[in-house]
């Protein structure tokens, strides 16, 4: 009986709070109602939460998120308190799919993202007899959790892709010293683009989402390219992780339109920053995970934006060699400018070596299988090879295409002959291994259908065809 009475009393209190927050009530009443409601709701009482959701004054929630202060009988209620009250109310709904996916929650995303910009050092605030004492980062983390829960529908993703929202999240990623905040913000960026791309791949056409995704890319690339180029800690690799996952997933038609409509000077700056960051990463010994992510990012950028942004410094190799010939013999390590000029050479060498290692392993394994010998099954390694061999080929194909388009024997290209000879040797050695494996596959595959389903064989045929067609770029 007591439990029933307590539940009835709580239900009555909820009803009184819903009356207090109704649009007709003064701000002071709404403020008190919003302050009390989260304390009356338990996560296991879904019916009560749904009743509050249905009766919620979301316009006032919006005001709490955006207004600098609210008048109360005790004076001005500070902005941090207003925002935290709004966040606490929204958090009650965000963990329930039917509420989180409602349009009224999606409509709160732009205002909620502004909370991420405000970093408060102390939230111990006296309001009448109510003392609030909390970690200032709690509100930011809760806001990020809400955004993660809400950004699942088309309407919510369109809101999330707003350039101002992406900018607010990106600025938090760089500015925060709280690792949990940073990880949540990175997860939010990743999930927003992953969910958007997945939805676009699933359905033929969603014009509003397509447009939002396209217009968000400028803000995304501006933020990520700067981090990749300038950051020297863990965040550089977190950014690389996002790029390597998002870039392959973006529909090619959206990337084509983005490239066509972008300001070319801005695009050049983004690509230069991305190139600088990738060069820094490739210039160090890498864990396989980061090496693969770097190659995936590079191959996607080459596919979307062509080879010039990456390989054009080959045109400076001749003048750089002449400059180096005049330097003293004891000149220290490469300058940043020299490293930048030689980056294409380094990349081609690294990709070619990685390619040869993988192809040798694939050839050895397939030969054992053909001879009916025992082969140790390593599904993870085989899956990686099926993904990374085509990626490496795409980078080498871009190098071949760039050289064939920009080097003509007897004409000045700015490319150093020794550099070209080294590249030719690396490519020739690699292509010999590719053609050897391809011949083996063709000789041992029993049907055209099996050959068509063989990802390694298809990628090998493509690069061999290109190499033979473009062979005229080589120095004789």
């Amino acid at each position: 009986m007591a439990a029933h009475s307590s539940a009835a009393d709580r239900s009555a209190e909820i009803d009184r709070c819903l009356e207090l927050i109704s649009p007709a009530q003064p701000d002071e009443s709404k403020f008190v109602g919003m302050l009390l409601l989260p304390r009356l709701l338990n996560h296991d009482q879904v019916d009560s939460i749904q009743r509050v959701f249905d009766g919620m004054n979301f316009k006032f929630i919006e005001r709490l998120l955006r207004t600098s202060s609210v008048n109360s009988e005790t004076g001005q209620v500070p902005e941090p308190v207003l925002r935290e009250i709004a966040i606490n109310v929204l958090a009650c709904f965000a963990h329930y799919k039917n509420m989180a996916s409602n349009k009224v929650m999606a409509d709160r995303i732009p205002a909620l993202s502004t909370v991420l910009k405000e970093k408060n050092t102390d939230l111990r605030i006296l309001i009448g007899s109510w003392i609030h004492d909390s970690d200032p980062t709690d509100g930011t983390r809760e806001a990020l959790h809400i955004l993660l829960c809400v950004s699942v529908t088309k309407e919510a993703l369109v809101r999330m892709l707003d350039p101002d929202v992406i900018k607010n999240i990106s600025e938090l990623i760089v500015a925060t010293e709280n690792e949990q905040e940073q990880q949540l913000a990175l997860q939010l960026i990743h999930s927003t683009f992953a969910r958007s791309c997945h939805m676009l791949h699933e359905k033929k056409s969603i014009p509003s989402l397509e447009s939002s995704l396209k217009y968000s890319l400028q803000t995304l690339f501006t933020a990520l390219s700067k981090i990749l180029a300038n950051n020297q800690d863990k965040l550089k690799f977190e950014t690389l992780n996002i790029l390597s996952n998002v870039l392959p997933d973006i529909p090619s038609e959206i990337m084509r339109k983005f490239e066509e409509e972008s300001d070319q000077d801005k695009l050049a700056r983004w690509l230069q920053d991305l190139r600088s960051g990738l060069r820094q990463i490739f210039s160090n010994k890498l864990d396989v995970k980061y090496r693969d992510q770097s190659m995936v990012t590079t191959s996607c950028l080459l596919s979307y934006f062509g080879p010039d942004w990456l390989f054009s410094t080959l045109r400076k190799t001749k003048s750089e060699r002449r400059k180096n010939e005049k330097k003293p013999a004891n000149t220290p390590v490469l300058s940043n400018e020299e490293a930048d000029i030689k980056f294409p050479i380094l990349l081609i060498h690294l990709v070619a070596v990685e390619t040869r290692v993988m192809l040798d392993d694939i050839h050895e394994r397939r030969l054992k299988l053909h001879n009916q010998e025992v082969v140790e099954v390593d599904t993870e390694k085989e899956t990686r090879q099926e993904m990374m061999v085509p990626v490496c080929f795409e980078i080498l194909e871009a190098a071949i295409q760039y050289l064939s388009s920009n080097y003509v024997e007897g004409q000045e290209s700015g490319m150093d002959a020794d550099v070209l000879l080294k590249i030719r040797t690396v490519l020739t050695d690699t292509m010999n291994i590719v053609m050897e494996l391809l011949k083996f596959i063709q000789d041992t595959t029993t049907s055209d259908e099996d050959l068509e389903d063989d990802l390694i064989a298809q990628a090998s045929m493509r690069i061999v065809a290109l190499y033979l067609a473009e062979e005229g770029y080589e120095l004789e």
Side-chain angles (χ1 to χ4, degrees):
M1 181 65 118
H4 177 74
S5 175
S6 176
D9 290 344
R10 185 177 291 270
S11 180
E13 289 181 36
I14 289 173
D15 286 336
R16 283 194 291 272
C17 285
L18 289 175
E19 290 177 10
L20 287 173
I21 67 173
S22 67
Q25 296 294 333
D27 283 355
E28 173 67 17
S29 296
K30 294 173 189 171
F31 173 74
V32 172
M34 291 288 185
L35 184 63
L36 294 174
L37 269 174
R39 305 180 184 186
L40 298 173
L41 299 175
N42 293 325
H43 285 297
D44 58 345
Q45 297 174 339
V46 182
D47 290 343
S48 295
I49 295 173
Q50 184 67 59
R51 184 154 58 94
V52 171
F53 181 82
D54 293 337
M56 181 50 56
N57 184 346
F58 282 100
K59 288 186 178 179
F60 192 66
I61 291 282
E62 186 80 6
R63 283 184 56 198
L64 291 178
L65 290 170
R66 292 187 181 275
T67 306
S68 59
S69 62
V70 167
N71 290 316
S72 74
E73 292 178 355
T74 59
Q76 293 285 329
V77 181
E79 180 180 359
V81 176
L82 301 181
R83 292 186 167 195
E84 185 166 0
I85 291 170
I87 290 169
N88 288 340
V89 172
L90 292 175
C92 293
F93 311 137
H95 300 289
Y96 301 93
K97 186 177 179 180
N98 64 315
M99 298 178 224
S101 60
N102 193 291
K103 184 176 180 298
V104 294
M105 293 291 280
D107 289 343
R108 305 286 79 80
I109 287 174
L112 195 56
S113 78
T114 64
V115 174
L116 308 179
K117 297 193 300 182
E118 302 298 327
K119 302 302 294 178
N120 306 301
T121 56
D122 189 4
L123 274 183
R124 186 173 179 85
I125 301 161
L126 181 64
I127 304 176
S129 61
W130 175 63
I131 295 180
H132 177 74
D133 189 6
S134 68
D135 183 345
T137 64
D138 287 348
T140 301
R141 290 198 296 269
E142 193 63 71
L144 289 166
H145 278 297
I146 295 168
L147 290 171
L148 279 165
C149 293
V150 171
S151 56
V152 292
T153 64
K154 180 200 76 174
E155 291 78 14
L157 290 170
V158 166
R159 293 286 196 179
M160 282 296 305
L161 291 168
D162 182 287
D164 287 337
V165 175
I166 297 297
K167 183 171 182 287
N168 291 339
I169 301 169
S170 300
E171 288 178 350
L172 173 68
I173 289 171
V174 175
T176 186
E177 295 180 359
N178 183 293
E179 185 174 356
Q180 189 177 0
E181 282 183 5
Q182 188 178 79
Q183 288 301 312
L184 285 169
L186 288 163
Q187 183 184 348
L188 183 56
I189 289 286
H190 188 179
S191 66
T192 296
F193 283 88
R195 289 168 178 171
S196 299
C197 293
H198 178 72
M199 197 172 289
L200 289 174
H201 287 305
E202 270 196 332
K203 300 181 180 179
K204 281 190 175 180
S205 177
I206 311 177
S208 59
L209 188 57
E210 291 172 359
S211 177
S212 298
L213 179 57
K214 183 183 69 174
Y215 286 114
S216 71
L217 293 177
Q218 175 174 324
T219 306
L220 180 73
F221 285 147
T222 298
L224 297 188
S225 63
K226 287 180 180 177
I227 295 173
L228 198 70
N230 301 318
N231 197 283
Q232 300 303 325
D233 57 22
K234 182 181 176 183
L235 185 55
K236 181 191 286 288
F237 293 97
E238 298 285 4
T239 301
L240 177 66
N241 179 56
I242 291 178
L243 285 166
S244 64
N245 282 281
V246 169
L247 283 173
D249 216 18
I250 299 175
S252 56
E253 182 62 16
I254 289 178
M255 286 301 301
R256 184 188 65 79
K257 290 180 180 177
F258 169 72
E259 194 272 339
E260 288 178 354
E261 297 172 15
S262 292
D263 179 282
Q264 293 305 300
D265 289 338
K266 285 184 179 178
L267 184 60
R269 286 197 296 273
W270 299 331
L271 289 172
Q272 182 56 41
D273 281 343
L274 291 169
R275 184 185 190 277
S276 175
L278 288 167
R279 175 176 60 78
Q280 294 168 36
I281 293 170
F282 276 117
S283 298
N284 292 281
K285 288 185 178 180
L286 296 174
D287 180 84
V288 172
K289 171 186 173 182
Y290 299 127
R291 186 166 68 243
D292 288 355
Q293 289 179 345
S294 300
M295 290 182 182
V296 168
T297 300
T298 302
S299 70
C300 287
L301 292 172
L302 288 167
S303 174
Y304 294 140
F305 303 111
D308 285 14
W309 66 273
L310 179 54
F311 296 109
S312 61
T313 55
L314 288 172
R315 289 180 166 276
K316 300 179 181 179
T317 51
K318 182 180 286 187
S319 61
E320 185 64 22
R321 177 179 58 79
R322 290 170 178 167
K323 192 189 301 182
N324 287 337
E325 288 173 350
K326 299 176 182 178
K327 288 182 179 180
N330 60 348
T331 301
V333 294
L334 288 178
S335 66
N336 194 55
E337 182 183 3
E338 288 177 289
D340 187 63
I341 290 172
K342 294 182 177 180
F343 175 47
I345 309 165
L346 169 67
L347 179 64
I348 291 170
H349 173 75
L350 291 175
V351 173
V353 169
E354 186 68 28
T355 301
R356 293 199 295 269
V357 169
M358 288 191 290
L359 294 183
D360 283 342
D361 185 75
I362 292 168
H363 197 164
E364 181 182 355
R365 184 172 65 252
R366 293 196 180 198
L367 180 60
K368 285 182 178 180
L369 287 170
H370 179 69
N371 293 332
Q372 298 183 333
E373 297 178 25
V374 176
V375 176
E376 182 180 351
V377 176
D378 190 336
T379 304
E380 184 178 342
K381 181 170 73 172
E382 290 177 30
T383 301
R384 173 183 175 266
Q385 289 171 345
E386 286 194 349
M387 182 185 79
M388 291 308 301
V389 166
V391 165
C392 289
F393 282 176
E394 286 167 7
I395 297 173
L396 296 178
E397 287 167 16
I400 292 169
Q401 288 174 324
Y402 180 83
L403 291 168
S404 66
S405 300
N406 291 275
Y407 176 81
V408 178
E409 189 175 2
Q411 294 182 14
E412 179 56 51
S413 66
M415 301 184 203
D416 181 62
D418 288 343
V419 166
L420 288 173
L421 186 58
K422 288 178 182 178
I423 293 174
R424 172 193 175 180
T425 301
V426 167
L427 290 174
T428 300
D429 291 346
T430 304
M431 292 310 304
N432 286 339
I433 293 174
V434 175
M435 288 187 278
E436 183 181 349
L437 174 61
L438 182 57
K439 185 177 185 307
F440 172 79
I441 294 174
Q442 290 172 328
D443 289 345
T444 56
T445 302
T446 56
S447 71
D448 292 341
E449 187 176 310
D450 288 342
L451 200 60
E452 289 175 4
D453 293 337
D454 190 325
L455 297 178
I456 301 296
Q458 291 299 312
S460 298
M461 284 189 280
R462 187 179 66 246
I463 194 172
V464 167
L466 175 69
Y467 177 74
L468 295 177
E470 304 290 357
E471 195 179 18
Y473 84 86
E474 295 180 343
L475 290 175
E476 296 296 331

